[in-house]
Amino acid sequence: MLQKWKASSDQSGGPDRDLPNSPDMFSGNFPEGLRVLLFDEDRHYLHILEKHLEEFQYEVTTCHEEERAMYLLCNHRNMFDIAIMEAHNLEGKIFRLISEIGSEIDIPIIITSQDDSRESVTKWMRNGACDYLIKPIRPEDLRLIYKYLVKKMELRGITVAEEAEEKAAAEKSSSVGDSTIRSPNRRKRNMLQTDEEDPDHNRDSATKKRRVVWDDYLNGKFLDAVNSLGNNDVVPKKILERMNVSSLTRENVASHLQRNTPVAHHDRSQDASRFRTEIAKMSLIPLTYAHSARGPHPF
DNA sequence: GCGGTAATAT
DNA sequence: CATATTACCG
């Protein structure tokens, strides 16, 4: 029954938007870049919520189809850090999904609903939801969703920036309205001495790049892009454009392309590029990429 | 700057 | 191992 979503090759109408890349670790400046799966059947509302989440520097993947949401949730792999799901249909599939295999989904799931009945709230909270937000949702509530991940983070040995907590506490009461984006980097000045800021070594570890995980989904998009391009346009830049996945860099694509492109030694004097792409198209790793489901690297 | 390749790093 | 980065070259 769940199998239905688990292995589906996902041809059912694409996502509303692109999936974020698939990092395997939180970044140094924690709340930023949090990968949020956002589901709501109301496209308009979906967009509103998305905007807010993005203002908080979260990486949002929207979805307005239940089936798709289920699929993404099941194939969470390392796609998302947290999910915000609309509980439109009180006794719908999502509830069954979460209550049945909720334990297999290792990311916090926040339920949103207009139903403010105690029964509904209770039911969800008892069956796996980590929180329940009643619509209309306050931006501030979206802003603080990262709180469900601090423990997990610290288990990974990452220190949560104090600022995050400070900010959360400081702005508790008022106006978050729409633009409450604070600069992620701030420091306490104690070293007065000729104000040396060390502009050089300011490696705050805040700018860590996340490793892209080429899972079925991304690889699928990659393949689609490659196959949809003319044989002479199978180059990183165009593939990237066609994939249309923000947060993917040209280098990411180039690396992936290279990795999956056998080298044609000799005889590449003339139309080398065409030859290469021809090979690429035939030997790129197909969607069956889901072998070793191992954890992140120790790096 | 971009693309391809190989080597090397993480 | 998978992915990123760098050096070199056209």
Side-chain angles (χ1 to χ4, degrees):
Chain A
M1 32 197 90
L2 293 169
Q3 212 56 34
K4 181 177 174 183
W5 298 294
K6 281 208 166 183
S8 163
S9 91
D10 178 47
Q11 294 300 337
S12 59
D16 299 60
R17 302 202 36 188
D18 300 311
L19 285 173
N21 69 21
S22 310
D24 54 14
M25 184 78 91
F26 294 115
S27 62
N29 46 333
F30 177 36
E32 280 184 35
L34 204 68
R35 297 158 304 167
V36 183
L37 170 59
L38 176 64
F39 163 67
D40 197 300
E41 290 191 324
D42 182 331
R43 287 189 186 239
H44 189 244
Y45 199 67
L46 183 67
H47 187 249
I48 307 262
L49 296 183
E50 178 195 12
K51 289 295 292 289
H52 281 300
L53 287 167
E54 286 179 341
E55 280 167 9
F56 303 138
Q57 309 293 106
Y58 296 143
E59 233 176 68
V60 189
T61 297
T62 59
C63 177
H64 72 278
E65 293 168 336
E66 191 173 56
E67 289 290 320
R68 172 115 188 113
M70 309 276 279
Y71 169 76
L72 292 174
L73 202 50
C74 284
N75 291 14
H76 53 86
R77 316 198 199 239
N78 23 34
M79 299 279 239
F80 310 104
D81 299 311
I82 190 168
I84 300 177
M85 312 284 289
E86 178 197 29
H88 194 268
N89 306 318
L90 314 143
E91 302 297 324
K93 300 171 187 171
I94 292 184
F95 181 81
R96 250 184 300 142
L97 171 67
I98 293 177
S99 57
E100 281 177 25
I101 67 161
S103 53
E104 281 181 38
I105 300 174
D106 60 346
I107 63 174
I109 297 172
I110 297 171
I111 296 301
T112 64
S113 177
Q114 298 182 353
D115 184 349
D116 64 350
S117 69
R118 192 187 60 181
E119 184 195 341
S120 182
V121 176
T122 305
K123 202 161 189 174
W124 279 102
M125 293 300 281
R126 273 185 181 164
N127 289 84
C130 73
D131 199 357
Y132 188 106
L133 304 179
I134 297 165
K135 296 181 179 181
I137 298 170
R138 293 144 53 209
E140 185 63 7
D141 290 328
L142 295 178
R143 183 165 190 271
L144 298 178
I145 58 175
Y146 68 80
K147 67 187 176 188
Y148 299 109
L149 289 159
V150 306
K151 280 188 183 175
K152 197 172 185 176
M153 259 201 61
E154 295 187 328
L155 277 176
R156 288 183 170 187
I158 300 170
T159 305
V160 176
E162 298 164 29
E163 304 171 41
E165 297 171 44
E166 289 174 4
K167 279 195 291 184
E171 302 171 28
K172 191 165 29 180
S173 54
S174 62
S175 72
V176 171
D178 36 37
S179 52
T180 311
I181 314 169
R182 296 283 186 274
S183 219
N185 288 319
R186 280 181 110 198
R187 283 199 155 175
K188 300 179 181 179
R189 294 286 166 73
N190 283 332
M191 316 148 65
L192 312 172
Q193 304 271 6
T194 332
D195 78 347
E196 280 272 348
E197 265 297 298
D198 260 356
D200 299 297
H201 296 208
N202 243 349
R203 258 88 258 196
D204 218 24
S205 79
T207 40
K208 279 179 187 172
K209 291 174 185 173
R210 287 185 178 179
R211 224 180 141 88
V212 172
V213 175
W214 292 88
D215 49 38
D216 288 358
Y217 182 80
L218 264 192
N219 201 44
K221 284 207 96 174
F222 174 79
L223 290 177
D224 288 344
V226 168
N227 290 321
S228 71
L229 283 168
N231 295 293
N232 295 315
D233 293 320
V234 184
V235 294
K237 197 177 178 183
K238 302 220 170 184
I239 296 173
L240 178 60
E241 287 171 5
R242 185 103 18 145
M243 286 180 74
N244 191 32
V245 175
S246 58
S247 80
L248 252 194
T249 68
R250 191 180 59 77
E251 283 76 17
N252 291 141
V253 176
S255 176
H256 193 58
L257 181 61
Q258 176 179 14
R259 185 165 72 85
N260 295 294
T261 305
V263 187
H265 302 82
H266 59 288
D267 184 48
R268 48 186 175 115
S269 49
Q270 295 275 317
D271 201 351
S273 71
R274 169 175 294 183
F275 185 46
R276 191 191 63 69
T277 57
E278 209 57 57
I279 293 179
K281 288 180 65 175
M282 303 188 68
S283 56
L284 281 168
I285 297 178
L287 291 167
T288 51
Y289 195 71
H291 39 64
S292 59
R294 279 181 281 137
H297 279 252
F299 300 139

PDB file of all heavy atoms in Angstrom, chain A residues 40-52:
ATOM      1  N   ASP A  40       0.567  22.040   0.273  1.00  0.00           N
ATOM      2  CA  ASP A  40      -0.723  22.661   0.532  1.00  0.00           C
ATOM      3  C   ASP A  40      -1.490  22.643  -0.777  1.00  0.00           C
ATOM      4  O   ASP A  40      -0.951  22.976  -1.822  1.00  0.00           O
ATOM      5  CB  ASP A  40      -0.559  24.104   1.018  1.00  0.00           C
ATOM      6  CG  ASP A  40      -1.838  24.613   1.680  1.00  0.00           C
ATOM      7  OD1 ASP A  40      -2.885  24.649   0.986  1.00  0.00           O
ATOM      8  OD2 ASP A  40      -1.794  24.968   2.870  1.00  0.00           O
ATOM      9  N   GLU A  41      -2.736  22.230  -0.706  1.00  0.00           N
ATOM     10  CA  GLU A  41      -3.496  22.116  -1.950  1.00  0.00           C
ATOM     11  C   GLU A  41      -3.912  23.458  -2.526  1.00  0.00           C
ATOM     12  O   GLU A  41      -4.224  23.578  -3.692  1.00  0.00           O
ATOM     13  CB  GLU A  41      -4.723  21.223  -1.726  1.00  0.00           C
ATOM     14  CG  GLU A  41      -4.338  19.775  -1.511  1.00  0.00           C
ATOM     15  CD  GLU A  41      -5.548  18.864  -1.555  1.00  0.00           C
ATOM     16  OE1 GLU A  41      -6.612  19.295  -1.080  1.00  0.00           O
ATOM     17  OE2 GLU A  41      -5.416  17.736  -2.055  1.00  0.00           O
ATOM     18  N   ASP A  42      -3.908  24.447  -1.690  1.00  0.00           N
ATOM     19  CA  ASP A  42      -4.252  25.787  -2.147  1.00  0.00           C
ATOM     20  C   ASP A  42      -3.002  26.462  -2.702  1.00  0.00           C
ATOM     21  O   ASP A  42      -2.132  26.904  -1.960  1.00  0.00           O
ATOM     22  CB  ASP A  42      -4.801  26.589  -0.953  1.00  0.00           C
ATOM     23  CG  ASP A  42      -5.225  27.984  -1.390  1.00  0.00           C
ATOM     24  OD1 ASP A  42      -4.647  28.514  -2.365  1.00  0.00           O
ATOM     25  OD2 ASP A  42      -6.134  28.540  -0.744  1.00  0.00           O
ATOM     26  N   ARG A  43      -2.944  26.533  -3.982  1.00  0.00           N
ATOM     27  CA  ARG A  43      -1.756  27.093  -4.613  1.00  0.00           C
ATOM     28  C   ARG A  43      -1.399  28.486  -4.121  1.00  0.00           C
ATOM     29  O   ARG A  43      -0.245  28.823  -3.948  1.00  0.00           O
ATOM     30  CB  ARG A  43      -1.947  27.176  -6.126  1.00  0.00           C
ATOM     31  CG  ARG A  43      -1.882  25.841  -6.808  1.00  0.00           C
ATOM     32  CD  ARG A  43      -1.857  26.086  -8.303  1.00  0.00           C
ATOM     33  NE  ARG A  43      -1.938  24.865  -9.061  1.00  0.00           N
ATOM     34  CZ  ARG A  43      -1.004  24.487  -9.915  1.00  0.00           C
ATOM     35  NH1 ARG A  43       0.067  25.217 -10.083  1.00  0.00           N
ATOM     36  NH2 ARG A  43      -1.152  23.370 -10.594  1.00  0.00           N
ATOM     37  N   HIS A  44      -2.412  29.260  -3.944  1.00  0.00           N
ATOM     38  CA  HIS A  44      -2.157  30.626  -3.521  1.00  0.00           C
ATOM     39  C   HIS A  44      -1.557  30.662  -2.128  1.00  0.00           C
ATOM     40  O   HIS A  44      -0.575  31.325  -1.868  1.00  0.00           O
ATOM     41  CB  HIS A  44      -3.459  31.442  -3.557  1.00  0.00           C
ATOM     42  CG  HIS A  44      -3.233  32.895  -3.351  1.00  0.00           C
ATOM     43  ND1 HIS A  44      -3.736  33.580  -2.260  1.00  0.00           N
ATOM     44  CD2 HIS A  44      -2.540  33.793  -4.090  1.00  0.00           C
ATOM     45  CE1 HIS A  44      -3.344  34.845  -2.339  1.00  0.00           C
ATOM     46  NE2 HIS A  44      -2.630  35.003  -3.434  1.00  0.00           N
ATOM     47  N   TYR A  45      -2.166  29.915  -1.279  1.00  0.00           N
ATOM     48  CA  TYR A  45      -1.667  29.885   0.096  1.00  0.00           C
ATOM     49  C   TYR A  45      -0.279  29.269   0.123  1.00  0.00           C
ATOM     50  O   TYR A  45       0.603  29.696   0.880  1.00  0.00           O
ATOM     51  CB  TYR A  45      -2.628  29.075   0.969  1.00  0.00           C
ATOM     52  CG  TYR A  45      -2.445  29.360   2.442  1.00  0.00           C
ATOM     53  CD1 TYR A  45      -2.761  30.605   2.961  1.00  0.00           C
ATOM     54  CD2 TYR A  45      -1.938  28.387   3.295  1.00  0.00           C
ATOM     55  CE1 TYR A  45      -2.571  30.888   4.290  1.00  0.00           C
ATOM     56  CE2 TYR A  45      -1.750  28.657   4.640  1.00  0.00           C
ATOM     57  CZ  TYR A  45      -2.066  29.909   5.135  1.00  0.00           C
ATOM     58  OH  TYR A  45      -1.877  30.175   6.460  1.00  0.00           O
ATOM     59  N   LEU A  46      -0.119  28.297  -0.726  1.00  0.00           N
ATOM     60  CA  LEU A  46       1.168  27.626  -0.826  1.00  0.00           C
ATOM     61  C   LEU A  46       2.258  28.641  -1.133  1.00  0.00           C
ATOM     62  O   LEU A  46       3.331  28.659  -0.526  1.00  0.00           O
ATOM     63  CB  LEU A  46       1.106  26.590  -1.955  1.00  0.00           C
ATOM     64  CG  LEU A  46       2.314  25.699  -2.202  1.00  0.00           C
ATOM     65  CD1 LEU A  46       2.525  24.764  -1.024  1.00  0.00           C
ATOM     66  CD2 LEU A  46       2.121  24.903  -3.477  1.00  0.00           C
ATOM     67  N   HIS A  47       1.922  29.496  -2.035  1.00  0.00           N
ATOM     68  CA  HIS A  47       2.882  30.515  -2.451  1.00  0.00           C
ATOM     69  C   HIS A  47       3.201  31.491  -1.338  1.00  0.00           C
ATOM     70  O   HIS A  47       4.335  31.893  -1.129  1.00  0.00           O
ATOM     71  CB  HIS A  47       2.347  31.261  -3.678  1.00  0.00           C
ATOM     72  CG  HIS A  47       3.335  32.198  -4.273  1.00  0.00           C
ATOM     73  ND1 HIS A  47       3.197  33.568  -4.217  1.00  0.00           N
ATOM     74  CD2 HIS A  47       4.505  31.971  -4.907  1.00  0.00           C
ATOM     75  CE1 HIS A  47       4.236  34.128  -4.806  1.00  0.00           C
ATOM     76  NE2 HIS A  47       5.044  33.199  -5.236  1.00  0.00           N
ATOM     77  N   ILE A  48       2.174  31.839  -0.627  1.00  0.00           N
ATOM     78  CA  ILE A  48       2.370  32.759   0.495  1.00  0.00           C
ATOM     79  C   ILE A  48       3.343  32.162   1.511  1.00  0.00           C
ATOM     80  O   ILE A  48       4.297  32.800   1.935  1.00  0.00           O
ATOM     81  CB  ILE A  48       1.039  32.998   1.238  1.00  0.00           C
ATOM     82  CG1 ILE A  48      -0.031  33.442   0.256  1.00  0.00           C
ATOM     83  CG2 ILE A  48       1.252  33.976   2.380  1.00  0.00           C
ATOM     84  CD1 ILE A  48      -0.265  34.900   0.178  1.00  0.00           C
ATOM     85  N   LEU A  49       3.058  30.962   1.873  1.00  0.00           N
ATOM     86  CA  LEU A  49       3.910  30.310   2.862  1.00  0.00           C
ATOM     87  C   LEU A  49       5.331  30.169   2.336  1.00  0.00           C
ATOM     88  O   LEU A  49       6.304  30.367   3.057  1.00  0.00           O
ATOM     89  CB  LEU A  49       3.351  28.924   3.209  1.00  0.00           C
ATOM     90  CG  LEU A  49       1.973  28.899   3.874  1.00  0.00           C
ATOM     91  CD1 LEU A  49       1.590  27.464   4.218  1.00  0.00           C
ATOM     92  CD2 LEU A  49       1.970  29.752   5.133  1.00  0.00           C
ATOM     93  N   GLU A  50       5.393  29.846   1.080  1.00  0.00           N
ATOM     94  CA  GLU A  50       6.709  29.677   0.478  1.00  0.00           C
ATOM     95  C   GLU A  50       7.531  30.952   0.579  1.00  0.00           C
ATOM     96  O   GLU A  50       8.704  30.931   0.940  1.00  0.00           O
ATOM     97  CB  GLU A  50       6.549  29.276  -0.993  1.00  0.00           C
ATOM     98  CG  GLU A  50       7.872  29.125  -1.707  1.00  0.00           C
ATOM     99  CD  GLU A  50       7.705  29.080  -3.210  1.00  0.00           C
ATOM    100  OE1 GLU A  50       6.602  29.392  -3.703  1.00  0.00           O
ATOM    101  OE2 GLU A  50       8.688  28.722  -3.878  1.00  0.00           O
ATOM    102  N   LYS A  51       6.885  32.048   0.259  1.00  0.00           N
ATOM    103  CA  LYS A  51       7.584  33.325   0.321  1.00  0.00           C
ATOM    104  C   LYS A  51       8.147  33.593   1.705  1.00  0.00           C
ATOM    105  O   LYS A  51       9.280  34.009   1.865  1.00  0.00           O
ATOM    106  CB  LYS A  51       6.648  34.470  -0.076  1.00  0.00           C
ATOM    107  CG  LYS A  51       6.296  34.517  -1.527  1.00  0.00           C
ATOM    108  CD  LYS A  51       7.535  34.808  -2.398  1.00  0.00           C
ATOM    109  CE  LYS A  51       8.054  36.215  -2.189  1.00  0.00           C
ATOM    110  NZ  LYS A  51       7.144  37.241  -2.764  1.00  0.00           N
ATOM    111  N   HIS A  52       7.335  33.331   2.676  1.00  0.00           N
ATOM    112  CA  HIS A  52       7.789  33.570   4.043  1.00  0.00           C
ATOM    113  C   HIS A  52       8.976  32.683   4.377  1.00  0.00           C
ATOM    114  O   HIS A  52       9.970  33.144   4.927  1.00  0.00           O
ATOM    115  CB  HIS A  52       6.653  33.302   5.024  1.00  0.00           C
ATOM    116  CG  HIS A  52       5.679  34.428   5.097  1.00  0.00           C
ATOM    117  ND1 HIS A  52       6.038  35.698   5.473  1.00  0.00           N
ATOM    118  CD2 HIS A  52       4.349  34.478   4.843  1.00  0.00           C
ATOM    119  CE1 HIS A  52       4.973  36.494   5.443  1.00  0.00           C
ATOM    120  NE2 HIS A  52       3.933  35.766   5.059  1.00  0.00           N
TER     121      HIS A  52
END
